[in-house]
Amino acid sequence: MRESGREVNQLRKIEMVTNFTKHAEGSVLITVGDTKVICNASVEERVPPFMRGSGKGWITAEYAMLPRATETRNIRESSKGKVSGRTMEIQRLIGRSLRAVVDLDAIGERTVWIDCDVIQADGGTRTASITGAFVAMVFALGKLVDQGTLKKLPITDYLAAISVGVLPDGTEILDLEYAEDAIAAVDMNVVMTGKGEFVELQGTGEEATFSRQQLMKMLDLAEGGLKEIVEIQKDAISPYVDKLEIK
Amino acid sequence: MRESGREVNQLRKIEMVTNFTKHAEGSVLITVGDTKVICNASVEERVPPFMRGSGKGWITAEYAMLPRATETRNIRESSKGKVSGRTMEIQRLIGRSLRAVVDLDAIGERTVWIDCDVIQADGGTRTASITGAFVAMVFALGKLVDQGTLKKLPITDYLAAISVGVLPDGTEILDLEYAEDAIAAVDMNVVMTGKGEFVELQGTGEEATFSRQQLMKMLDLAEGGLKEIVEIQKDAISPYVDKLEIK
Amino acid sequence: MRESGREVNQLRKIEMVTNFTKHAEGSVLITVGDTKVICNASVEERVPPFMRGSGKGWITAEYAMLPRATETRNIRESSKGKVSGRTMEIQRLIGRSLRAVVDLDAIGERTVWIDCDVIQADGGTRTASITGAFVAMVFALGKLVDQGTLKKLPITDYLAAISVGVLPDGTEILDLEYAEDAIAAVDMNVVMTGKGEFVELQGTGEEATFSRQQLMKMLDLAEGGLKEIVEIQKDAISPYVDKLEIK
Amino acid sequence: MRESGREVNQLRKIEMVTNFTKHAEGSVLITVGDTKVICNASVEERVPPFMRGSGKGWITAEYAMLPRATETRNIRESSKGKVSGRTMEIQRLIGRSLRAVVDLDAIGERTVWIDCDVIQADGGTRTASITGAFVAMVFALGKLVDQGTLKKLPITDYLAAISVGVLPDGTEILDLEYAEDAIAAVDMNVVMTGKGEFVELQGTGEEATFSRQQLMKMLDLAEGGLKEIVEIQKDAISPYVDKLEIK
Amino acid sequence: MRESGREVNQLRKIEMVTNFTKHAEGSVLITVGDTKVICNASVEERVPPFMRGSGKGWITAEYAMLPRATETRNIRESSKGKVSGRTMEIQRLIGRSLRAVVDLDAIGERTVWIDCDVIQADGGTRTASITGAFVAMVFALGKLVDQGTLKKLPITDYLAAISVGVLPDGTEILDLEYAEDAIAAVDMNVVMTGKGEFVELQGTGEEATFSRQQLMKMLDLAEGGLKEIVEIQKDAISPYVDKLEIK
Amino acid sequence: MRESGREVNQLRKIEMVTNFTKHAEGSVLITVGDTKVICNASVEERVPPFMRGSGKGWITAEYAMLPRATETRNIRESSKGKVSGRTMEIQRLIGRSLRAVVDLDAIGERTVWIDCDVIQADGGTRTASITGAFVAMVFALGKLVDQGTLKKLPITDYLAAISVGVLPDGTEILDLEYAEDAIAAVDMNVVMTGKGEFVELQGTGEEATFSRQQLMKMLDLAEGGLKEIVEIQKDAISPYVDKLEIK
């Protein structure tokens, strides 16, 4: 039993408010326990220079935290004048993950910008961002279908993410909150499709290591959790669920 | 009568959710029509270098917009690596305004950081920020009183802000929404105390000018609106309203 | 009576040297008491990206101080690698003010760059900059008329600026020098046209407030001072004074 | 059989030149096929601010490529004025990996700086960097032992890294060279200790996914390759091999 | 005979206005033909970190041009966010040159900041800066002597600079103005002491070369010119000329 | 006799490894005593904006040191986010020097990028960079000749560089190593062509001066050394030596 009373394989409560802000083509407020992230998807009618003329689209993501999303106030990255390595790592991860389930040829020379802004942090902000971003992206691309710009929703599968880890006593657990993350010997983020294929796997032992057996247990926990999360995503994207191109 | 159906002297609907996020000492979500700003107040137990040893406290503010707070996505200032002139102007205005109603000697060598993050913009984000920031600051300083760190709330008056302007047809109006702001000949922001004294007055004619008479009408509208807003603030800070040191 | 012996409504001595440097299309050294600013106006045959194809011109300004313009040496903004909020505020104010009296359609797709470089500071650098910049701009646009590039001087009115304020004892005064500015309870900058219309009004109570009555007295002082300044401008631009398009 | 003639489980030729430059406490030129990285380890007698007073040491890494390490010249990050996300990701990975096998308490308030500079790139630069950096670090800490500053080499295990991946035809392969990396559907970097425990696992499907079964095959390949690499490391650190504190 | 009518060994007219601005400890406006530079010297009661505790003083310089000092407006370095290589080269040269004639031990742990701001450029701005900076520095250090802070003026010799060059037709000339500099095959800056010793010699053939014989002729011209300039300096520093410690 | 046992006019041992890395069109590892620099030359099929349409080519250089090329680790310029004045000075010197011996018209609208990366420093890195860069450039342009892109090697002479200086005891010496450079009263870098013409001459007395006689002695030493170096260059570029256009 964990501090919070959760079982080792128990997710925190997850909620998604869609159409959270009015301007973005897709806008989701995702809540995972006390972690809250606004995921906005914007469609831009052009692609970055390296893709011009390719006929393909692009998905890219940015991630930030409000300065007081955390227990202690963080200096704003715009004030520091540069984006931290942690932020860059996360936004590259979000973009890469989403691109794995989108048919970029089918969206044409457009960019979908995903903005994940953490307004309250309690562990798992990057995985909540991916899970919420998928839903925001479905709405944004869905609007292109509604307008007749795209013929069909070029999304090949669901996509969600969760963290797993190992506590100092050796217990493998699902969906770490901040207090657990701070003490964990191993921290792993798993990004998976609806069909249970891996998109990203990032396991880290900070001043620690882990065995193949522990890896297997963590992956089992992640798979179980991600199935539940995909069901919540299906509800959130209900206006578009029948238009998805899941192969 | 305005496009929106509002009277020239009619405010948009204003709401404040206090304790909006869990980590900040003071946290308010202020909604003014379709403009939504998260105002977080954080207490730091030190002051900037230029004030060390003075025995006085400091209030400072930062302001930002989520990239998709607006109709078109804006590039994130952290990605650009610098803060725009507009942002700097606004955050300097917020900090200066709040300092006018705080007894800095009484708070000791502490900084109150105010973070105003616009999650949805529809005109008047800087005035909504000031109005919400005042409430967040009261909660943050109030906690210092509750903990016994401060003997009394060192706030000398209420503080709120509103915009007024002149439409192209010459009509003076209160509380401009974005569509009005975009066409206005004159735009003025008024920051006032509860007793009706000015703290800041910033009137601008972009490629236009205004007369003394128009100024007077705008100030009348502002005063009327600000009285209503201060009443809403009183409700929002009800746990601390009796502890205020209004002179 | 003020420390300096000036009356409350008395300006400092103002002088303008035109054609101060040889390369700029318009070049003015303005002296207001001990404040000295070089105002250079340069004409560039293109406009910023956001205006291309509009057929309209643009006026923009930059402002800086020599490091030792002030009593204590300031770090050069180029060495710091960024422009301060104060500088940005001032240069935005100068540009906006000038644009209010120029017919941008009439100047075609050209930019007038105004560079205000303070070589000695004793209060009122931003208002001296605006007053001097107007004259430099008249010379720069005047040269376009002389060359036949423009048919007439597309300037719709005179433009000048001055500061007013309130001393700690409650006295309203005109044209604050540094020693007064440093102690003033209220500081207000007024930008006005030759016909006495407001272009910008920026009043600030740093850790203080001001009443409507005080505002009125300050505006009276400003109006009086600005009339005198416009007369000095007329002298300075005498080669072009008959070509002005004052409506 | 691969393009290069290598077997799927065959490493490229690996060589390490120790004492490659004369100033660094540890200096290694590692060659993996056509990938060449200079790994220098420097000892600094202080730790970063967040660790001062902790009594613990710190290991941190920086990574860069010479502009012409690659087929096309890259713009120098110092010229761009900022470090790319990719670089940050890699240097964070190297530092984190090394810290997993060092007893930070035992090295005292010292920082070991690891500089990995790629002089020629042909795939696998980050894994070559980790493998070479471990050796450089052993020499640097070894010198502290030789000098009597440290009583024993505070290294708890060997540490090496290798890439594995999946070719478009579904074949899992070990140690991808650039031509393979450019077309691979899945790319995974595995960092392991001498005892076969995982330190880091980063698997990525760029616009692709992978199954649990594929993951297992890739991990088998990685384990095989890493055993061979650790043997090469043992040779390289022969002066210190008996002083290692492998638990 | 040159375009300007000057002889090959003829300087442009040189003037120095001392006490040009009121705040700086030393302030000189130097005019060399149409080149005008404000040289301000400021005394700071501390040295840079690398000299603390050494008991020695430091002289350092910064150099900038007003944007419209030149025929075409240059972008301000503060707007670009970085200082150009040319600027850095020049300010390093000025500082190094001045340090050669100052007894740094004798000035104690103080920094003399030299700010050279070019307000009008017509060739030779770096040499005019050095010549003017020497005079400004004498005034700044002289004030320390006047106040009794220093016992004597710790300056070991006069210091001045001039350019020489080779025109495309092979003629060696003294003191190049812009039109000559733009076409010159060789450009050389010579910094010399009053006794005729070299402090700096920087000769450059941009897409050209020069012989030992040409070098000798250029050095002869420079020596002649510099003797004249030192006489002008003696006049400018007349209040301090008897206090100089010329060895 | 010097500390190292070298005669005053004796060079350190110089070696050049050509084709040092595989991607660059020209790649040289130059070793001068314990100073080691990788000089890579890359050909880019375009020129910088200021030269577009001129029909001429461009040669430009960048210079950097590995952080631990020196006895104490230097902070990486990419981490600092800006290039130091020293680096800028050096890279401008390298580019300018090379351009003096290339017929830029003959290479067409192409840029040759020279990257000089110091992997071990022991004095004379800038002169070693120039000497090595010349050889790398010959190989890069030579490949354009081999491919038939250029008709002939557009190089008008050999180019090499060396340092000379004056020791505190007044002895003039050739090719200063770090220990000598650190104590030298005068430091001069001489860049010369194969025919013995000067391209650059940069002599500096840091807190010291030098006479015309000392200058002459230093130039004699430099000329002697540079003749030897050009012979070593001839060997290094033997595949192209007959194709050189030495006028």
Side-chain angles (χ1 to χ4, degrees):
Chain A
M1 187 71 89
R2 296 149 78 172
E3 281 280 308
S4 59
R6 280 197 282 150
E7 302 293 332
V8 294
N9 67 347
Q10 191 183 340
L11 293 171
R12 287 178 285 177
K13 190 173 177 197
I14 299 177
E15 286 177 326
M16 293 193 233
V17 180
T18 53
N19 300 312
F20 182 66
T21 64
K22 76 170 187 176
H23 297 298
E25 281 74 33
S27 178
V28 172
L29 172 68
I30 182 169
T31 304
V32 178
D34 271 349
T35 289
K36 294 179 187 203
V37 187
I38 300 175
C39 303
N40 283 337
S42 304
V43 178
E44 189 188 24
E45 292 293 318
R46 58 175 186 173
V47 287
F50 69 91
M51 295 197 67
R52 285 187 197 141
S54 69
K56 291 179 66 174
W58 191 242
I59 318 281
T60 191
E62 292 195 345
Y63 166 98
M65 279 199 184
L66 295 202
R68 199 54 197 283
T70 47
E71 214 171 309
T72 307
R73 186 181 183 274
N74 290 300
I75 300 174
R76 218 171 263 272
E77 295 192 331
S78 57
S79 300
K80 280 191 281 190
K82 62 178 178 181
V83 171
S84 73
R86 179 186 173 274
T87 293
M88 284 207 188
E89 235 174 75
I90 294 174
Q91 52 199 25
R92 283 159 58 89
L93 171 65
I94 300 170
R96 217 162 51 219
S97 296
L98 293 171
R99 289 193 296 271
V101 294
V102 176
D103 178 354
L104 296 173
D105 291 297
I107 62 174
E109 288 208 6
R110 283 181 187 88
T111 299
V112 182
W113 285 87
I114 304 293
D115 287 292
C116 298
D117 285 89
V118 179
I119 61 176
Q120 191 171 280
D122 188 27
T125 63
R126 80 185 70 187
T127 50
S129 293
I130 292 169
T131 300
F134 174 77
V135 173
M137 182 180 73
V138 168
F139 273 82
L141 292 174
K143 261 175 213 165
L144 294 180
V145 175
D146 295 348
Q147 296 162 6
T149 309
L150 294 186
K151 289 198 188 138
K152 46 192 186 174
L153 253 182
I155 291 176
T156 58
D157 204 345
Y158 289 90
L159 182 93
I162 199 68
S163 73
V164 285
V166 181
L167 290 177
D169 68 0
T171 322
E172 292 84 5
I173 55 172
L174 176 69
D175 188 16
L176 285 70
E177 50 196 85
Y178 178 72
E180 292 168 335
D181 189 68
I183 57 165
V186 181
D187 181 24
M188 177 171 287
N189 294 295
V190 182
V191 186
M192 249 187 188
T193 63
K195 281 195 284 295
E197 296 272 298
F198 294 110
V199 171
E200 285 274 341
L201 200 62
Q202 296 197 339
T204 291
E206 173 82 33
E207 302 173 33
T209 61
F210 56 103
S211 66
R212 174 88 78 111
Q213 197 182 354
Q214 286 176 310
L215 172 63
M216 293 302 108
K217 281 197 192 158
M218 286 190 282
L219 295 181
D220 291 342
L221 287 171
E223 274 184 53
L226 287 165
K227 271 184 197 153
E228 291 180 51
I229 295 173
V230 169
E231 292 308 309
I232 298 167
Q233 286 182 323
K234 283 183 186 166
D235 273 4
I237 62 167
S238 56
Y240 295 107
V241 82
D242 296 337
K243 296 182 180 155
L244 281 182
E245 286 252 293
I246 313 292
K247 290 172 192 169
Chain B
M1 186 71 88
R2 296 149 78 173
E3 281 280 308
S4 60
R6 281 197 280 149
E7 302 292 333
V8 294
N9 66 349
Q10 192 183 339
L11 294 171
R12 287 178 285 177
K13 189 172 178 198
I14 298 178
E15 286 178 327
M16 291 192 234
V17 181
T18 53
N19 299 311
F20 182 66
T21 64
K22 75 170 188 176
H23 297 299
E25 281 74 32
S27 178
V28 172
L29 171 69
I30 182 169
T31 304
V32 178
D34 271 349
T35 289
K36 295 180 186 200
V37 187
I38 300 175
C39 303
N40 284 336
S42 304
V43 178
E44 189 188 25
E45 291 293 318
R46 58 174 186 174
V47 286
F50 69 90
M51 296 198 67
R52 285 188 197 141
S54 68
K56 292 178 65 174
W58 191 242
I59 318 281
T60 191
E62 291 195 345
Y63 166 98
M65 280 200 183
L66 295 203
R68 198 55 198 283
T70 46
E71 214 171 309
T72 307
R73 187 180 183 275
N74 291 298
I75 300 174
R76 218 171 262 272
E77 295 192 332
S78 57
S79 299
K80 280 192 281 192
K82 62 178 178 181
V83 171
S84 73
R86 178 185 176 275
T87 294
M88 284 206 187
E89 236 174 73
I90 295 174
Q91 51 199 25
R92 283 159 58 90
L93 171 65
I94 301 170
R96 218 162 49 220
S97 297
L98 293 172
R99 289 194 296 271
V101 294
V102 175
D103 178 354
L104 295 174
D105 291 297
I107 61 174
E109 289 209 5
R110 282 181 189 88
T111 299
V112 181
W113 285 87
I114 304 292
D115 287 292
C116 297
D117 285 90
V118 179
I119 60 177
Q120 193 172 278
D122 188 27
T125 62
R126 80 185 69 188
T127 50
S129 293
I130 292 169
T131 299
F134 174 78
V135 174
M137 182 181 72
V138 169
F139 273 81
L141 292 174
K143 261 175 212 163
L144 294 179
V145 176
D146 295 346
Q147 296 162 6
T149 309
L150 295 185
K151 288 198 189 137
K152 46 192 186 174
L153 252 182
I155 290 176
T156 59
D157 205 345
Y158 288 89
L159 182 93
I162 199 68
S163 73
V164 285
V166 181
L167 290 177
D169 68 1
T171 321
E172 291 83 5
I173 55 172
L174 176 68
D175 187 16
L176 286 69
E177 50 197 86
Y178 178 73
E180 292 168 335
D181 190 68
I183 58 165
V186 182
D187 181 24
M188 176 171 288
N189 294 294
V190 183
V191 186
M192 251 187 185
T193 63
K195 280 194 286 294
E197 296 272 298
F198 294 110
V199 170
E200 285 274 342
L201 201 61
Q202 297 197 339
T204 291
E206 174 82 37
E207 302 173 32
T209 62
F210 55 104
S211 66
R212 174 89 77 113
Q213 196 181 353
Q214 287 177 309
L215 172 63
M216 292 303 106
K217 281 197 192 158
M218 286 190 282
L219 295 180
D220 291 341
L221 287 172
E223 273 184 53
L226 287 165
K227 272 184 196 153
E228 293 180 50
I229 296 174
V230 168
E231 291 309 308
I232 299 167
Q233 286 182 323
K234 283 185 187 166
D235 273 4
I237 63 165
S238 56
Y240 294 108
V241 82
D242 295 338
K243 295 183 181 155
L244 280 182
E245 287 252 293
I246 313 292
K247 289 172 192 168
Chain C
M1 187 71 89
R2 295 149 79 170
E3 282 281 308
S4 59
R6 280 197 282 149
E7 302 292 332
V8 295
N9 67 348
Q10 192 183 340
L11 292 171
R12 288 177 284 177
K13 190 173 176 198
I14 298 178
E15 287 177 326
M16 292 193 234
V17 181
T18 54
N19 299 313
F20 182 66
T21 64
K22 74 169 188 177
H23 297 299
E25 280 75 31
S27 178
V28 173
L29 171 67
I30 182 168
T31 305
V32 179
D34 271 350
T35 289
K36 296 181 186 200
V37 187
I38 300 175
C39 303
N40 284 337
S42 304
V43 178
E44 188 188 24
E45 292 293 318
R46 59 175 185 173
V47 287
F50 69 90
M51 295 198 66
R52 287 191 195 138
S54 68
K56 292 179 65 173
W58 190 242
I59 318 282
T60 191
E62 291 196 345
Y63 166 98
M65 279 199 182
L66 294 203
R68 199 55 197 282
T70 47
E71 213 171 310
T72 308
R73 185 180 184 277
N74 290 299
I75 300 173
R76 218 170 263 273
E77 295 193 332
S78 57
S79 300
K80 280 192 281 191
K82 61 178 179 181
V83 172
S84 73
R86 179 185 173 276
T87 294
M88 285 207 187
E89 237 173 72
I90 294 173
Q91 52 199 25
R92 284 159 57 89
L93 171 65
I94 301 169
R96 218 162 49 219
S97 297
L98 294 172
R99 289 193 297 271
V101 294
V102 176
D103 178 354
L104 296 174
D105 291 297
I107 61 174
E109 289 208 5
R110 284 182 187 87
T111 299
V112 183
W113 285 87
I114 305 292
D115 287 292
C116 298
D117 286 88
V118 179
I119 61 178
Q120 191 172 279
D122 188 27
T125 62
R126 81 185 69 188
T127 50
S129 293
I130 291 169
T131 299
F134 175 77
V135 173
M137 182 180 72
V138 168
F139 273 81
L141 292 173
K143 262 177 211 162
L144 294 180
V145 176
D146 295 347
Q147 297 162 4
T149 309
L150 294 186
K151 290 198 188 138
K152 46 190 186 176
L153 253 181
I155 290 177
T156 59
D157 205 345
Y158 288 90
L159 182 92
I162 198 67
S163 73
V164 284
V166 182
L167 290 178
D169 69 0
T171 321
E172 291 83 6
I173 56 173
L174 176 69
D175 187 16
L176 286 69
E177 50 196 84
Y178 178 73
E180 292 168 334
D181 189 68
I183 57 164
V186 181
D187 181 24
M188 177 170 288
N189 294 295
V190 182
V191 186
M192 249 188 188
T193 64
K195 281 194 285 293
E197 297 271 297
F198 294 110
V199 170
E200 284 275 341
L201 200 62
Q202 297 197 338
T204 291
E206 173 83 35
E207 302 174 31
T209 62
F210 55 105
S211 66
R212 173 89 77 115
Q213 198 182 352
Q214 287 176 309
L215 172 63
M216 292 302 108
K217 282 196 191 159
M218 287 190 282
L219 295 180
D220 291 342
L221 288 172
E223 274 184 54
L226 288 164
K227 272 183 197 154
E228 293 180 51
I229 296 174
V230 168
E231 291 309 308
I232 299 167
Q233 287 182 322
K234 283 184 187 168
D235 273 2
I237 63 167
S238 56
Y240 295 109
V241 81
D242 295 337
K243 295 184 181 155
L244 280 182
E245 287 252 291
I246 313 292
K247 290 172 192 170
Chain D
M1 187 71 89
R2 294 149 79 173
E3 283 280 308
S4 59
R6 280 197 282 148
E7 301 293 331
V8 295
N9 66 348
Q10 192 183 340
L11 294 171
R12 288 178 285 177
K13 190 174 176 196
I14 299 178
E15 285 177 327
M16 293 193 235
V17 181
T18 54
N19 299 312
F20 182 66
T21 64
K22 75 170 187 174
H23 297 298
E25 281 76 31
S27 178
V28 173
L29 171 67
I30 182 169
T31 303
V32 178
D34 272 349
T35 290
K36 294 180 187 204
V37 187
I38 300 175
C39 303
N40 284 337
S42 305
V43 178
E44 190 188 25
E45 291 293 318
R46 58 176 185 171
V47 286
F50 69 90
M51 295 198 67
R52 285 187 197 142
S54 68
K56 292 178 66 173
W58 189 242
I59 317 281
T60 191
E62 291 195 346
Y63 166 98
M65 280 198 183
L66 295 201
R68 200 54 199 282
T70 46
E71 214 172 309
T72 307
R73 186 181 183 273
N74 291 299
I75 300 173
R76 219 171 262 273
E77 295 193 332
S78 58
S79 300
K80 280 191 281 192
K82 61 178 178 179
V83 172
S84 74
R86 178 185 174 275
T87 294
M88 285 208 186
E89 236 173 73
I90 294 174
Q91 52 199 24
R92 284 158 57 89
L93 171 65
I94 300 169
R96 217 161 50 218
S97 296
L98 293 172
R99 289 194 297 271
V101 294
V102 175
D103 177 355
L104 296 173
D105 291 297
I107 61 175
E109 289 209 4
R110 282 181 189 87
T111 299
V112 182
W113 285 87
I114 304 292
D115 287 292
C116 297
D117 286 89
V118 179
I119 60 178
Q120 191 172 279
D122 188 27
T125 63
R126 80 185 69 187
T127 50
S129 293
I130 292 169
T131 299
F134 174 78
V135 173
M137 182 180 72
V138 168
F139 273 81
L141 292 173
K143 261 175 212 163
L144 294 180
V145 175
D146 294 347
Q147 296 162 5
T149 310
L150 295 186
K151 290 199 188 138
K152 46 192 187 174
L153 252 182
I155 291 177
T156 59
D157 204 346
Y158 289 89
L159 182 92
I162 199 68
S163 73
V164 284
V166 181
L167 290 177
D169 68 0
T171 321
E172 291 83 6
I173 56 173
L174 176 69
D175 188 16
L176 286 69
E177 50 196 84
Y178 178 72
E180 293 168 335
D181 189 68
I183 57 164
V186 181
D187 181 24
M188 177 170 286
N189 293 295
V190 182
V191 186
M192 250 187 188
T193 64
K195 281 194 285 294
E197 296 271 298
F198 294 110
V199 171
E200 284 275 341
L201 200 63
Q202 297 197 339
T204 290
E206 174 82 34
E207 302 173 32
T209 62
F210 55 104
S211 66
R212 174 89 77 114
Q213 199 182 352
Q214 286 176 308
L215 172 63
M216 293 303 107
K217 282 196 190 157
M218 287 189 282
L219 295 180
D220 291 343
L221 287 172
E223 274 184 54
L226 287 165
K227 271 184 197 153
E228 292 179 51
I229 295 174
V230 168
E231 291 309 307
I232 298 167
Q233 287 182 323
K234 282 184 188 168
D235 272 3
I237 63 167
S238 56
Y240 295 109
V241 82
D242 295 337
K243 295 181 181 157
L244 281 182
E245 285 252 292
I246 313 292
K247 290 171 192 170
Chain E
M1 187 70 89
R2 295 149 79 172
E3 283 279 311
S4 60
R6 282 197 281 149
E7 301 293 331
V8 294
N9 66 348
Q10 191 183 340
L11 292 172
R12 288 178 284 178
K13 190 173 177 197
I14 299 179
E15 287 177 326
M16 292 193 234
V17 181
T18 53
N19 299 312
F20 182 67
T21 64
K22 74 170 188 177
H23 297 299
E25 281 75 32
S27 178
V28 173
L29 172 68
I30 182 168
T31 304
V32 178
D34 272 348
T35 290
K36 296 181 185 201
V37 187
I38 301 174
C39 303
N40 284 336
S42 305
V43 178
E44 188 188 26
E45 292 293 318
R46 58 174 186 174
V47 287
F50 68 90
M51 296 199 65
R52 286 189 196 139
S54 68
K56 293 179 64 173
W58 190 242
I59 318 282
T60 191
E62 292 195 343
Y63 166 98
M65 280 198 182
L66 294 203
R68 198 56 196 283
T70 46
E71 213 172 309
T72 307
R73 186 181 183 274
N74 290 299
I75 300 174
R76 218 170 261 274
E77 295 193 331
S78 57
S79 300
K80 280 192 280 192
K82 62 179 179 181
V83 172
S84 74
R86 179 186 174 273
T87 294
M88 284 206 187
E89 237 173 74
I90 294 174
Q91 52 199 23
R92 284 158 58 89
L93 171 65
I94 301 170
R96 218 161 51 220
S97 297
L98 294 171
R99 289 193 298 270
V101 294
V102 176
D103 178 353
L104 296 174
D105 290 297
I107 61 175
E109 290 208 3
R110 285 182 186 84
T111 299
V112 182
W113 285 88
I114 304 292
D115 287 292
C116 298
D117 285 90
V118 179
I119 61 177
Q120 193 172 278
D122 189 27
T125 63
R126 80 185 69 187
T127 50
S129 293
I130 291 169
T131 299
F134 174 77
V135 174
M137 183 180 72
V138 168
F139 273 81
L141 292 174
K143 261 176 213 164
L144 294 180
V145 176
D146 295 346
Q147 297 161 6
T149 309
L150 294 186
K151 290 198 189 137
K152 44 190 188 177
L153 251 182
I155 290 177
T156 59
D157 205 344
Y158 289 89
L159 182 92
I162 199 67
S163 72
V164 284
V166 182
L167 290 178
D169 68 0
T171 322
E172 290 83 5
I173 55 172
L174 176 69
D175 188 16
L176 286 68
E177 49 195 88
Y178 179 73
E180 292 169 334
D181 189 69
I183 58 164
V186 181
D187 181 25
M188 177 171 289
N189 294 296
V190 181
V191 187
M192 250 187 188
T193 63
K195 281 195 285 293
E197 296 271 297
F198 295 110
V199 171
E200 285 274 340
L201 199 63
Q202 297 197 340
T204 291
E206 174 82 36
E207 302 174 31
T209 62
F210 56 104
S211 67
R212 174 89 77 115
Q213 198 182 353
Q214 287 177 308
L215 172 63
M216 293 302 106
K217 283 197 191 156
M218 286 189 281
L219 295 180
D220 290 341
L221 287 171
E223 274 184 53
L226 287 165
K227 272 184 197 152
E228 293 180 50
I229 296 174
V230 168
E231 291 309 308
I232 299 168
Q233 287 182 323
K234 282 184 187 166
D235 273 2
I237 62 166
S238 56
Y240 294 109
V241 82
D242 295 336
K243 296 183 180 154
L244 280 182
E245 288 252 291
I246 312 292
K247 291 172 191 168
Chain F
M1 186 73 88
R2 296 148 78 172
E3 282 279 308
S4 59
R6 281 196 282 149
E7 301 293 331
V8 294
N9 67 348
Q10 191 183 341
L11 293 172
R12 289 177 284 177
K13 190 173 176 197
I14 299 178
E15 287 177 325
M16 292 193 234
V17 181
T18 53
N19 299 312
F20 182 66
T21 63
K22 74 170 187 176
H23 298 299
E25 281 75 32
S27 179
V28 172
L29 172 68
I30 182 169
T31 303
V32 178
D34 271 350
T35 289
K36 295 180 187 202
V37 187
I38 300 175
C39 303
N40 284 335
S42 305
V43 178
E44 189 188 23
E45 292 292 320
R46 58 175 186 173
V47 287
F50 69 90
M51 296 198 66
R52 286 190 195 138
S54 68
K56 292 178 66 173
W58 191 242
I59 317 281
T60 191
E62 291 195 345
Y63 166 97
M65 278 199 183
L66 294 202
R68 198 55 196 283
T70 47
E71 213 171 309
T72 308
R73 186 182 183 274
N74 291 298
I75 300 174
R76 217 171 263 272
E77 296 193 330
S78 57
S79 300
K80 280 192 279 192
K82 62 178 178 181
V83 171
S84 73
R86 178 186 174 275
T87 293
M88 284 207 187
E89 236 172 74
I90 295 174
Q91 52 200 24
R92 283 158 58 89
L93 171 65
I94 301 170
R96 217 161 50 220
S97 297
L98 294 172
R99 289 193 297 270
V101 293
V102 176
D103 178 354
L104 296 174
D105 291 297
I107 61 175
E109 290 208 5
R110 284 182 187 85
T111 299
V112 181
W113 285 87
I114 304 293
D115 287 291
C116 297
D117 286 90
V118 179
I119 61 177
Q120 193 172 278
D122 188 27
T125 63
R126 81 185 69 187
T127 49
S129 293
I130 292 169
T131 300
F134 174 78
V135 174
M137 183 181 72
V138 168
F139 273 81
L141 292 174
K143 262 176 213 163
L144 294 180
V145 176
D146 294 347
Q147 297 161 5
T149 310
L150 295 185
K151 290 198 188 136
K152 45 192 186 173
L153 251 182
I155 290 177
T156 59
D157 205 346
Y158 288 90
L159 182 93
I162 199 67
S163 73
V164 285
V166 182
L167 289 178
D169 68 0
T171 323
E172 292 83 6
I173 55 172
L174 175 69
D175 188 16
L176 287 68
E177 49 195 87
Y178 178 73
E180 292 168 334
D181 189 70
I183 58 165
V186 181
D187 181 24
M188 177 171 288
N189 293 296
V190 182
V191 186
M192 251 187 187
T193 63
K195 280 194 285 294
E197 296 271 298
F198 295 110
V199 171
E200 286 273 341
L201 200 63
Q202 297 197 339
T204 290
E206 173 82 35
E207 302 173 31
T209 62
F210 56 103
S211 67
R212 174 89 76 113
Q213 197 182 355
Q214 287 177 309
L215 173 63
M216 293 303 106
K217 283 198 191 157
M218 286 190 282
L219 295 180
D220 291 341
L221 286 172
E223 274 184 55
L226 287 164
K227 272 184 197 152
E228 293 181 51
I229 296 174
V230 168
E231 292 309 308
I232 299 167
Q233 287 183 322
K234 283 183 186 166
D235 272 3
I237 62 165
S238 55
Y240 296 108
V241 82
D242 295 337
K243 297 184 180 155
L244 280 182
E245 288 251 293
I246 313 292
K247 292 173 193 168

